[in-house]
Each structure stands twice: as C-alpha cells, then as structure tokens.
Amino acid sequence: MHKIPRLFLIFLLLSLPLAGWANAPRTALDFLKAMSNAHQTATYEILYNLQQGNESESFRYRHTTANGKGFAQLLRLDNRREEQVLKGNTVSYLGYGFRPFSLPSSQILDNLPAIFNADLTQLNGYYVEELERDRIADRVARGFKLIPKNNDRYPIVLWIDENNHILLKSELFDQSGRLLEQFKVVQLSTDNQIHGIVEAINTLILPEIIAPAQNQTADPEWQLGWLPEGFKPINRIQKNLLPELTELQAVDSQLYSDGIFSFNLYVIPNVDLLASGQFWQQDKTLIYSEIINNNNVILVGDLPLETAKRIAQSVQFVGNAQ
C-alpha cells in the first residue's frame, strides 16, 4: 500500500478549514456588512417580539428574492390582522383599518429595528465593541455594541447569527441607559419552502401606488450649520402638504441619514404649526420644533432631544428667506 506523504496530509488538513473561512466575516465590521447583505439577499423567516417602551407585539417576517427582486411579508400576529407586502420596489399596506395603499420602497421599514435595513458600509460616528457570544432562539450569536463617538445618537447592542448572519436580537438605549426598543427573534427558519411567497405575492392584486405630487428644487433657501458626524443629506423635496390651506406655502423637506438612524427636517414658511422649543417624544421617535425668521423648522426622527435641538437651531436662511 502506498503511503500518503506527510507534507501532503498536513497541507490537506490545513486547507480544508481555510476553504470554509475564506468568505467568512473576520472583523466586527465584516460581520455587520454580512448581516446587511443577508437581510437583503437570503431566504428566511423569523418570528419575533418587538418591544417599544411598555408595549410589546409579535410579528412574522418572511423574505426571499427572485430575478433580482426582493419579496417579503411582514405580518402582525396578535389582535387585528395587519400586513405589509414587499414586491420589488413597492411596499403595500393591508388591513390597517383604512383603505389599502402602496408606496414606492425597496424595503419594509415599519415594525423592524433601524439596524435591520441599515447601510453599514461606513460607520462614521460610531465605535464598534465586540461582545461575548450568546445563545438566542437556540442559535449561536455574535454580539456587538455600536457606541456613538459624541453621545449625539443612541447606542445599539445587537446579536447576529454566527452562521447565516441574520439579526437575532437588538437593543436600543437612551443616554441614561433606559431601554427604548428591543427586537428579539424567537424562531428562525431558512427552509427553501419560504421561497413560495414569490408565487403567492405575484398572484395578489395589490393597491395602487400613492405618489404625492412634489417638485424638486435646485437651490434651497436654507442650510444646516451643524450635523452629527456621519449624517448626510439623502433627498430633498418641496411640496404642499395641505393644498386647501392657501396660507400654507410649499413645505421644504430634507432627509438625512448616517446609514442607521435618519431624520426629516421640514421648513414651513410663514406659519406657526408648533411653538419654538416644543417637542413630543414616544419611545425612540422625537418631534422637535423651532421658529426661525418666521419659518417653522420641524425635525422628526430617532434622535436624542439635545441633538435634535442643536440641529434645528443651526438652520440658517439665505437670500430672500432672511
């Protein structure tokens, strides 16, 4: 019997694990990127609880892809049936107690944590701390903590499935350590039968897309004097929210995001909808108002009060808006 050379055996034993490791995430940022990619490309189903403040609800989320398009269903499991359906670049809302409608979007955003659909290619403004492994939904999970560098947004703790990189748990805290939101998976499945939602969704007659009239404007009459590190403007539109009110002129709206958190800034001229310094907060969502040069500046987003206040107060008007 021929003997296998020892050097070849050593090479074979070493090369087998390396083949599996070649595409595996190695750093914390790699793991976070792998999570983002898995959420958009993998076939999976999760049953999870979402706690916001003192309220907790249960949901089922299914996702798959076909012909380069995303298909998903988010179903509320308790009380009245409420459902969101993703088909390509359209999300439809069904059973919410009002007439069904659709919106242009490539992702389901409601009733999922912000980190679930985050763009994690860059994490400016955060430190990433790796935590110990944990066991969640009977699966091994890698833990990470995203810590804001300047305390100008909320810290996030998350646990990602070590094998398929699906988010299994996330917790959002305010600066005092109070829990604002907890997302926790209780069951995860990657069965190929989930792909059957493609045919089911394709057979649905979905409501028409609501596309509100809006005008793109080239030169804004205002600008921000301060933004937290990592936040960038995404898109800006000008529209009349209430055409029947002749005294309400076109509303300028600008969306900003750091890839995880986002906020909208609305500038409404010649009207006082909210008083200066007035704010309203429910769990992680904040509405903050300032009156600047007879313009109502309203910020809506998932930001701490002091951050929202500093952003809104930094609005500077130029040209005829002064």
Side-chain angles (χ1 to χ4, degrees), residues 241-301:
L241 294 179
L242 298 173
E244 64 273 16
L245 299 180
T246 55
E247 69 273 15
L248 187 57
Q249 301 179 17
V251 176
D252 219 359
S253 171
Q254 174 70 66
L255 173 66
Y256 299 86
S257 177
D258 69 347
I260 300 176
F261 295 109
S262 62
F263 68 90
N264 270 291
L265 200 64
Y266 301 93
V267 177
I268 310 172
N270 305 319
V271 65
D272 297 343
L273 292 180
L274 297 173
S276 192
Q278 184 176 355
F279 70 93
W280 175 86
Q281 186 167 7
Q282 182 175 10
D283 304 324
K284 64 178 181 177
T285 302
L286 175 75
I287 300 176
Y288 181 83
S289 170
E290 284 285 349
I291 305 295
I292 303 176
N293 293 352
N294 202 33
N295 294 272
N296 205 165
V297 177
I298 300 176
L299 184 149
V300 181

Side-chain angles (χ1 to χ4, degrees), residues 171-182:
E171 293 180 331
L172 183 69
F173 298 90
D174 66 11
Q175 288 92 336
S176 66
R178 180 172 65 96
L179 180 66
L180 298 175
E181 178 186 81
Q182 184 189 74

Side-chain angles (χ1 to χ4, degrees), residues 76-95:
R76 183 183 181 188
L77 296 180
D78 299 321
N79 304 317
R80 183 175 59 196
R81 182 183 177 95
E82 295 177 351
E83 181 178 4
Q84 296 174 49
V85 174
L86 170 68
K87 182 181 180 181
N89 292 315
T90 302
V91 174
S92 300
Y93 293 75
L94 311 172

Side-chain angles (χ1 to χ4, degrees), residues 216-224 233 236-238 252-254 256 267 315-321:
Q216 296 289 341
T217 56
D219 298 314
E221 296 181 329
W222 57 273
Q223 60 188 16
L224 280 182
R236 177 176 172 269
I237 60 175
Q238 189 179 74
D252 219 359
S253 171
Q254 174 70 66
Y256 299 86
V267 177
V315 170
Q316 302 168 354
F317 290 88
V318 296
N320 295 330

